[in-house]
Amino acid sequence: MRRLDRWLTGPQAWRLRSAADPLVVDLGYGASPATAVELFERLSVIRPDVRVVGIEIEPERVRLAQELERPGLSFQLGGFELPTPGRPVLVRAFNVLRQYEESDVHDIWRLVQGRLAPGGLFIDGTCDEIGRRVTWVALDAGRPLSLSLSMRFGSFELPSEVAERLPKALIHRNVPGERVHSYLQAMDRAWLEAAPLASFGNRQRWTAMCRAMLDGGWPVQDGPSRWRLGELTVSWDAVAPKV
């Protein structure tokens, strides 16, 4: 999740800086509250008065996490209804919706979106166990905005290997005829075409792939400073499931 956190503290930092109430939720932090603690420490650099609330549905997890509370960091029992005082400007839910059915995703998204503060963002993401492959959908109060992929250089042969970690809304859509499948296949082609740059390192090869995606008409939302991190963000409409 560090890959997502550096996105939140990079191109999305303006949301926290401009928030009237810098409330952030780490939803479903899991068996260990470490991710919530790390999120708090990173966001505190951007907004020293940030308030991070870790929310879990397991009472014992909340009880144990509360031992780590400090000013600006707290933990409480709850779920997608976000029982927090105030509306959060950022909500991060990682490896949470993957436990639900695809048919449940839309209603869960709408529930969380309805709790966001003006200018707020909801992140529905998935990652592997050690953070080599990470994907997330970003949504504001009205609609999904984008899909981001972030991969550790040297951990893959083809970019499409990230498909096993797509968010729930997309993981079953990586089949011919679906937009996300076309997107991943286009990434693979661009990656293979950039093979001559491999001698200069995977960062240069990934950057060339991203440039080719942009030149090929894909609505890429970021630029070289993000590409160099093994990241690529595209507009949601380009990968959204077909009805």
Side-chain angles (χ1 to χ4, degrees):
M1 282 180 278
R2 295 186 182 113
R3 292 179 176 273
L4 166 65
D5 291 353
R6 68 188 182 192
W7 186 73
L8 293 176
T9 57
Q12 300 300 318
W14 66 271
R15 297 181 187 273
L16 189 59
R17 290 193 179 105
S18 63
D21 179 10
L23 173 63
V24 177
V25 170
D26 188 16
L27 178 60
Y29 54 83
S32 169
T35 57
V37 174
E38 289 183 357
L39 180 64
F40 170 69
E41 291 173 347
R42 293 188 183 106
L43 296 185
S44 294
V45 176
I46 303 299
R47 185 76 186 256
D49 59 340
V50 68
R51 294 186 295 126
V52 173
V53 180
I55 294 180
E56 254 293 340
I57 61 173
E58 297 289 342
E60 183 63 12
R61 291 180 176 180
V62 175
R63 186 189 69 78
L64 293 173
Q66 287 175 338
E67 298 177 4
L68 299 176
E69 289 186 340
R70 66 189 79 167
L73 176 65
S74 62
F75 299 89
Q76 67 182 76
L77 192 67
F80 296 113
E81 76 283 2
L82 306 184
T84 57
R87 292 180 174 270
V89 66
L90 294 174
V91 178
R92 183 183 71 176
F94 247 70
N95 299 320
V96 177
L97 273 73
R98 64 181 302 175
Q99 304 170 47
Y100 292 79
E101 297 296 327
E102 182 183 351
S103 58
D104 297 328
V105 171
H106 181 265
D107 288 343
I108 293 172
W109 279 2
R110 293 306 301 161
L111 180 60
V112 177
Q113 287 173 280
R115 292 284 291 121
L116 292 175
L121 202 65
F122 171 37
I123 305 296
D124 170 16
T126 307
C127 64
D128 66 5
E129 292 74 13
I130 56 175
R132 297 170 302 172
R133 301 171 184 179
V134 186
T135 71
W136 63 88
V137 178
L139 310 93
D140 64 12
R143 62 189 180 89
L145 302 176
S146 61
L147 171 71
S148 297
L149 312 177
S150 183
M151 303 179 73
R152 181 183 298 172
F153 294 130
S155 70
F156 62 92
E157 293 186 8
L158 292 172
S160 63
E161 292 170 20
V162 79
E164 64 184 15
R165 296 295 171 175
L166 285 171
K168 192 68 176 190
L170 295 174
I171 195 166
H172 302 301
R173 301 298 183 125
N174 185 32
V175 294
E178 287 284 350
R179 296 183 183 94
V180 71
H181 181 266
S182 298
Y183 178 62
L184 293 177
Q185 292 300 303
M187 288 183 69
D188 281 354
R189 288 192 297 272
W191 176 255
L192 292 172
E193 289 170 1
L197 293 175
S199 59
F200 297 102
N202 285 325
R203 179 171 287 108
Q204 284 74 17
R205 185 178 179 182
W206 181 273
T207 298
M209 177 200 74
C210 295
R211 174 62 64 184
M213 294 293 286
L214 179 62
D215 293 344
W218 290 95
V220 172
Q221 291 190 355
D222 51 14
S225 65
R226 308 306 302 178
W227 302 343
R228 290 178 57 80
L229 301 174
E231 189 178 295
L232 183 62
T233 297
V234 68
S235 297
W236 175 252
D237 290 345
V239 295
K242 292 186 176 180
V243 178

